[in-house]
Amino acid sequence: MKLAKKDILGIKDLSVEEINLILDTAESFVEISTREIKKVPTLRGKTVINLFFEASTRTRTSFEIAGKRLSADTINISASTSSVVKGETLVDTARNLEAMNPDIIVIRHSAAGAPHLLARMIRQSVINAGDGFHEHPTQALLDMMTIRNKKGGFGGLKVAICGDIAHSRVARSNIYGLKKMGAKVAVAGPATMMPRDMDKMGVEVHYHLEEAITDADIVMMLRIQTERQNQSIFPSLREYSSYFSLNKRNIGLAKKDVIVMHPGPVNRGVELSPDIADGPYSVILDQVTNGVAVRMALLYLVTGGES
Amino acid sequence: MKILLKGGRIVDPSQNLDGKMDLMIEDGRIVEIAKEIKKKASSELKIYELPGMIVAPGLIDMHVHLREPGYEYKETILTGCEAAVAGGFTSVACMPNTAPINDNRSITEFIIRKAAECGLANVYPLAAISKDSQGVNLAEFSEMKDAGAIGLSDDGKPVTNAALMRRALEYAHSLGLPVISHCEDTALSAGGLMNEGFVATELGLRGIPNSAEDVMVARDVILAGYTGTAVHICHVSTKGAAAIIGKAKKDGIKVTAETAPHYFTLSDEALRDYDVNLKVNPPLRTEEDRTAIRAALADGTIDVIATDHAPHARTDKEVEFEYAASGMIGLETSLALGLKLVAEGVLTISQLIEKMSVNPARILNLPKGTLTVGSDADITVFDPEKLWSVDTALFRSKSKNSPFQGWQMKGKALLTIVGGDVKYSEYED
């Protein structure tokens, strides 16, 4: 089976079959990263540009490693959004990159919809590495891969996604993906961090962490952006961590075999107590490992690879 | 030069006229309307045979941005007027948010002089409420009125200070100048890019809540009621604002209101592809709001259809949605979208002409919006059945930021007469 898409812009656009294809392909790539010589020639001669308009260590490194393990030439461009606003536009940047004939452009941007603009402008494949509060499809795919590995599937699972839902692209992509795959999703966060009409996304909406995590199979904690304190979205970090942090006490409400996930980077002691982040429930580092495999799979599939 | 319009259906709500009649123009004025006027064409008399056409008082768009002075790369008074007459508009009122802002006599005079040089549509400048539209001190209303300004607005920059708004209403009322209020609580709308609701939640775009508009509309009608003055509410987009205006009218408050074609035609569902041409302020609202706006047009709560014609160059729009300028052009699509309301049974043709000509003239105190004998011959002739498709490349407007590109339209202005002179015609050979 081949992926019939030029671009990976969001989970919303993917079918169940496409998600399974990506996850299966990712599984087949896991082994490469455990070899002595961690490199296969699959994408030799292909060029991948990582165009990052927003700071990122984890995602950018993960894409770079994924490309290199498949022998693609990977180039990283870190552009600051402010210089782009002042000078060259995204459209000009895109046309210039296109003229150099890369095969894939991976883009991270603080403005929702920026990857869509890029994909309309250029003929090469575009992979969204996170756009504003909109989507982060590769994160959701690596999360789904991790869940599938640990739980054997998705049917009947309850996934609680907790924290700043309004400003989270991770939450949106996971909601689309997990619901498509048959899981139930509950979200929890302060009312000020819950976007309007959230229930219409087909999720349970809670304003108390405890309600959402009760009997959950998976608890996914989101990173709280500490700078949002200044926007009157929550009173203080102290109050937030008292009421919305996952800790030894409240994790007992979840299922016994619960797994705890986090897209990183973790604010230790804020949304996750350190003993939970490092404890037996945590699969945070598995997520990171799977991230490389998922991104290898996408680079392979958008360039026409078959499973 | 005399002009005889023969055999058209004259629809003039200002004198309850609707029927097949002939109309004679002489020396820039309407001199006769009769069942049949028999004349022979000559070098002195041009005759238009108009079977099936509607002959209406010249359309007036009381909310346009002509961008000159300052933003001539987006639009000029000339290109804006060319777009106006092509869209069937004989008069436009232009908002003061130019650079510099029209907050003083010299800018008002400049606009009037430029428009006279263009000699196309009548251009009526709206002057700023506050100096530099900063919302701090009142601009010099009397002097700008003397220079030719016909109303006041800080459009685009709402007057956030309620005390200043109160003073503006009182002072303007004493001068007979309408105050046109862009209602937006900028604290509630801060950072917003589209309507707050399910679509914004899915797209991950910051929302502008309906309440940002509603609370300011409520404030303005309360102030108008308290001071016994009149206020005109711009570009109404929400169900709540329409309800507040409807109640205020019942209570006898002198409030009038306008909406734009995009608010009765489109909803926020259209934004799913991040089309920057759909980014507009106030934003396209939900289907529920769109339905309420149509109902408010039908029951008379909303008096006027005005385009909020907001030209933006490609460079302002061909960027990320978040950074794109807000606004869309409307002069060349407004009539067809209005006629769509007629086709859909929301308005009668007479009500449409009221909202696009008679009512704006009344609100702006203009001696226009009528075909009574003796009045200025500002006349729009349109074919309500003509099918055409929108191609912005053919638009007269300098900017092409229309979300209606490619739409199939029904109804088009074929003849636009301003002061007895043909300014736009699809009849000439």
Side-chain angles (χ1 to χ4, degrees):
Chain A
M1 193 177 157
K2 275 181 145 179
L3 195 65
K5 286 192 161 59
K6 167 171 110 55
D7 310 304
I8 302 293
L9 301 177
I11 301 291
K12 194 178 183 203
D13 320 319
L14 296 178
S15 66
V16 171
E17 294 70 36
E18 287 169 330
I19 292 171
N20 277 324
L21 170 66
I22 295 163
L23 299 186
D24 293 344
T25 309
E27 291 292 350
S28 72
F29 281 133
V30 167
E31 181 265 333
I32 296 168
S33 296
T34 64
R35 292 181 192 173
E36 183 79 22
I37 309 286
K38 302 177 187 60
K39 210 175 187 70
V40 292
T42 315
L43 295 187
R44 205 171 61 188
K46 303 279 185 194
T47 306
V48 179
I49 296 178
N50 291 324
L51 180 59
F52 276 61
F53 290 92
E54 211 180 48
S56 157
T57 308
R58 191 170 319 231
T59 306
R60 206 210 63 215
T61 308
S62 182
F63 266 109
E64 187 175 358
I65 289 175
K68 288 192 160 138
R69 291 206 173 143
L70 294 172
S71 302
D73 297 309
T74 59
I75 290 103
N76 295 319
I77 302 175
S78 298
S80 90
T81 324
S82 61
S83 75
V84 168
V85 170
K86 271 183 253 155
E88 195 173 50
T89 65
L90 176 62
V91 169
D92 281 336
T93 305
R95 288 195 176 121
N96 278 282
L97 292 176
E98 182 182 35
M100 295 182 223
N101 285 316
D103 298 280
I104 301 172
I105 294 181
V106 176
I107 179 175
R108 151 83 52 108
H109 201 296
S110 62
H116 306 66
L117 175 65
L118 187 66
R120 276 198 296 273
M121 300 300 306
I122 65 171
R123 56 180 194 279
Q124 288 88 359
S125 290
V126 173
I127 298 177
N128 181 1
D131 64 323
F133 317 141
H134 179 225
E135 282 232 39
H136 192 349
T138 59
Q139 177 71 40
L141 288 163
L142 71 89
D143 289 341
M144 287 191 278
M145 180 175 173
T146 308
I147 292 170
R148 203 173 74 164
N149 281 341
K150 299 289 174 187
K151 299 290 177 186
F154 300 94
L157 293 180
K158 178 181 176 183
V159 183
I161 304 178
C162 309
D164 186 353
I165 307 294
H167 301 99
S168 177
R169 53 194 173 213
V170 176
R172 285 172 177 80
S173 285
N174 266 299
I175 289 167
Y176 290 132
L178 291 166
K179 284 188 52 65
K180 276 180 212 243
M181 303 310 283
K184 272 196 324 187
V185 179
V187 298
T192 47
M193 296 182 187
M194 201 59 75
R196 196 156 172 97
D197 295 333
M198 190 63 202
D199 54 321
K200 289 190 187 163
M201 288 191 80
V203 298
E204 277 178 36
V205 178
H206 298 286
Y207 303 106
H208 299 282
L209 181 73
E210 290 74 17
E211 291 171 10
I213 65 175
T214 297
D215 294 327
D217 298 281
I218 292 110
V219 178
M220 195 180 283
M221 299 303 292
L222 301 174
R223 176 185 167 78
I224 181 83
Q225 307 280 129
T226 49
E227 57 273 21
R228 300 217 187 280
Q229 260 182 118
N230 310 327
Q231 301 163 10
S232 291
I233 286 177
F234 63 102
S236 67
L237 217 48
R238 177 175 167 273
E239 174 151 315
Y240 183 84
S241 61
S242 309
Y243 293 89
F244 283 95
S245 130
L246 190 68
N247 52 44
K248 255 184 168 158
R249 187 172 37 80
N250 56 25
I251 200 162
L253 295 166
K255 290 235 177 92
K256 273 206 169 60
D257 59 347
V258 66
I259 57 170
V260 174
M261 307 177 77
H262 192 295
V266 177
N267 292 306
R268 285 171 176 269
V270 182
E271 66 266 0
L272 267 187
S273 71
D275 45 350
I276 296 291
D278 304 329
Y281 308 111
S282 169
V283 295
I284 295 172
L285 296 177
D286 299 276
Q287 290 173 267
V288 177
T289 304
N290 290 337
V292 174
V294 156
R295 290 171 180 124
M296 286 167 77
L298 287 174
L299 295 176
Y300 171 71
L301 290 168
V302 297
T303 48
E306 284 181 60
S307 70
Chain B
M1 183 73 176
K2 300 173 194 173
I3 297 172
L4 175 56
L5 306 180
K6 271 191 83 67
R9 174 181 163 197
I10 294 188
V11 182
D12 179 9
S14 78
Q15 44 179 335
N16 279 320
L17 215 57
D18 185 347
K20 203 171 158 231
M21 275 170 283
D22 296 347
L23 183 150
M24 183 74 183
I25 300 164
E26 216 175 302
D27 297 331
R29 292 185 182 276
I30 295 166
V31 293
E32 189 183 357
I33 296 182
K35 270 270 165 258
E36 194 168 14
I37 301 173
K38 283 194 175 163
K39 298 267 190 214
K40 272 215 171 98
S42 68
S43 60
E44 293 294 299
L45 174 67
K46 171 97 186 165
I47 298 178
Y48 291 91
E49 297 289 347
L50 303 172
M53 302 298 136
I54 289 179
V55 179
L59 304 181
I60 300 168
D61 190 342
M62 67 180 288
H63 191 145
V64 304
H65 297 270
L66 295 180
R67 304 297 190 208
E68 190 178 354
Y71 303 105
E72 292 84 356
Y73 74 101
K74 296 174 192 257
E75 191 84 284
T76 62
I77 292 171
L78 177 62
T79 58
C81 286
E82 283 171 345
V85 294
F89 291 97
T90 55
S91 298
V92 295
C94 59
M95 284 295 173
N97 60 340
T98 46
I101 300 262
N102 181 17
D103 65 354
N104 63 78
R105 170 189 280 274
S106 64
I107 303 295
T108 305
E109 285 171 345
F110 167 82
I111 293 166
I112 289 172
R113 191 177 71 244
K114 269 277 178 180
E117 285 168 16
C118 298
L120 290 166
N122 304 304
V123 174
Y124 296 103
L126 296 165
I129 291 172
S130 62
K131 288 208 176 88
D132 209 25
S133 289
Q134 290 297 308
V136 180
N137 296 306
L138 292 182
E140 293 167 336
F141 294 179
S142 302
E143 201 173 69
M144 294 189 292
K145 185 189 177 188
D146 287 346
I150 52 109
L152 301 159
S153 183
D154 273 357
D155 185 49
K157 278 199 168 181
V159 180
T160 53
N161 179 334
L164 185 76
M165 189 63 177
R166 177 207 167 154
R167 297 302 179 209
L169 288 170
E170 289 174 325
Y171 188 39
H173 195 64
S174 71
L175 301 173
L177 286 173
V179 173
I180 299 171
S181 182
H182 167 125
C183 290
E184 176 185 353
D185 183 312
T186 50
L188 282 171
S189 65
L193 301 167
M194 66 171 290
N195 180 53
E196 183 173 288
F198 179 54
V199 181
T201 292
E202 284 215 325
L203 292 178
L205 292 174
R206 282 183 206 276
I208 300 173
N210 282 28
S211 53
E213 179 167 335
D214 300 352
V215 297
M216 283 296 250
V217 171
R219 182 201 75 174
D220 284 351
V221 297
I222 289 166
L223 290 174
Y226 179 69
T227 53
T229 60
V231 67
H232 177 79
I233 309 294
C234 281
H235 43 54
V236 175
S237 73
T238 68
K239 183 182 178 180
I244 292 163
I245 293 161
K247 181 178 181 298
K249 283 187 164 185
K250 281 199 188 80
D251 293 346
I253 293 170
K254 288 182 280 230
V255 57
T256 51
E258 79 193 28
T259 192
H262 38 277
Y263 300 118
F264 61 71
T265 308
L266 299 167
S267 75
D268 61 355
E269 283 293 333
L271 280 117
R272 289 196 178 274
D273 293 327
Y274 296 95
D275 179 357
V276 289
N277 285 330
L278 293 161
K279 185 177 178 188
V280 61
N281 188 27
L284 299 176
R285 303 288 187 180
T286 63
E287 191 55 34
E288 188 183 349
D289 292 298
R290 187 177 85 100
T291 306
I293 294 300
R294 291 157 75 93
L297 279 164
D299 70 19
T301 302
I302 295 177
D303 309 86
V304 169
I305 294 171
T307 62
D308 195 0
H309 179 82
H312 288 297
R314 266 178 65 186
T315 49
D316 304 319
K317 281 288 193 183
E318 216 172 64
V319 293
E320 295 85 332
F321 193 88
E322 191 169 332
Y323 312 139
S326 277
M328 51 179 78
I329 53 171
L331 282 167
E332 292 168 84
T333 47
S334 182
L335 176 60
L337 294 169
L339 285 166
K340 200 162 179 284
L341 286 180
V342 176
E344 290 163 357
V346 178
L347 296 179
T348 64
I349 192 84
S350 174
Q351 285 173 318
L352 179 69
I353 291 164
E354 259 182 345
K355 291 180 199 296
M356 294 186 75
S357 178
V358 182
N359 292 346
R362 190 190 75 232
I363 292 162
L364 298 175
N365 307 310
L366 301 175
K368 302 283 182 186
T370 181
L371 298 178
T372 45
V373 169
S375 56
D376 295 342
D378 285 7
I379 300 170
T380 302
V381 175
F382 60 91
D383 179 352
E385 303 297 327
K386 179 168 172 148
L387 298 172
W388 60 288
S389 61
V390 177
D391 180 359
T392 54
L394 303 176
F395 276 6
R396 274 73 174 172
S397 180
K398 202 167 195 171
S399 292
K400 309 298 174 192
N401 53 311
S402 168
F404 301 109
Q405 169 66 16
W407 278 43
Q408 295 301 309
M409 297 287 196
K410 192 173 168 187
K412 196 169 188 317
L414 299 183
L415 192 60
T416 307
I417 299 171
V418 182
D421 293 325
V422 172
K423 298 299 183 186
Y424 177 79
S425 172
E426 295 190 9
Y427 284 100
E428 317 306 311
D429 13 83

